[in-house]
Amino acid sequence: MKINTRRRSSRYQLNSEINITNLMDVMMVLLVVFMVAAPLMTSGIALDLPKVGGKNLEGQDTSINIGVDKEGYYYIGQTEVPADKIVAKLNAIKEENNDVTVTISGDGGAEYGRVIGLMAILKEAGFDKVGLKTEPKMINRKK
């Protein structure tokens, strides 16, 4: 018994084309979702930085920001870190990049001793490049 395969194959041909219209729709929706969500993920802790005059420091080196909020808690990025573990975390980062600088963002309502105490701890640990972050003061000039 011989089956006529030629006739069957002409009737049921495979479609080897890929329809990517649906995939493009999904990709566009994902792109919009990530474009909207990305700025929300980069928000930090809310600090009311003191407003003082002065120039911005410029440099190409890597800077780590440590925040001190008005309750006295310390943050590296958005992560709360106990005071006794800050030096260990910074030393681990310093092993990867020796030219690291540390910037302290102290809330305007933060206790002065907390911010200066953090600076002292960092200086004792060998971090020579420690700075304070402020916001520029708005100056009204009359001409």
Side-chain angles (χ1 to χ4, degrees), residues 8-124:
R8 277 189 135 177
S9 63
S10 65
R11 193 187 284 171
Y12 299 106
Q13 284 186 338
L14 294 176
N15 184 4
S16 61
E17 296 176 6
I18 298 174
N19 185 359
I20 63 168
T21 305
N22 294 336
L23 294 175
M24 291 299 293
D25 290 342
V26 170
M27 291 302 294
M28 291 301 290
V29 168
L30 287 174
L31 177 66
V32 169
V33 166
F34 283 115
M35 285 175 60
V36 170
L40 299 175
M41 291 188 291
T42 59
S43 63
I45 58 171
L47 293 178
D48 182 25
L49 296 175
K51 293 172 178 40
V52 296
K55 282 186 168 181
N56 289 340
L57 297 177
E58 295 180 9
Q60 300 295 336
D61 51 351
T62 307
S63 179
I64 300 169
N65 189 28
I66 301 177
V68 182
D69 66 3
K70 59 185 172 185
E71 283 84 28
Y73 296 111
Y74 300 108
Y75 296 89
I76 296 179
Q78 293 181 343
T79 308
E80 184 181 338
V81 179
D84 57 341
K85 295 188 180 181
I86 288 177
V87 173
K89 286 196 178 276
L90 291 178
N91 281 332
I93 295 171
K94 191 175 182 179
E95 287 178 9
E96 295 176 17
N97 185 358
N98 201 24
D99 293 330
V100 130
T101 60
V102 179
T103 306
I104 299 174
S105 300
D107 190 283
E111 188 178 316
Y112 180 72
R114 288 279 199 178
V115 176
I116 297 303
L118 178 60
M119 284 186 76
I121 290 171
L122 294 175
K123 287 285 188 180
E124 288 176 9

Side-chain angles (χ1 to χ4, degrees), residues 121-137:
I121 290 171
L122 294 175
K123 287 285 188 180
E124 288 176 9
F127 290 92
D128 296 326
K129 299 177 183 177
V130 178
L132 294 174
K133 185 175 183 180
T134 60
E135 290 196 14
K137 186 177 184 179

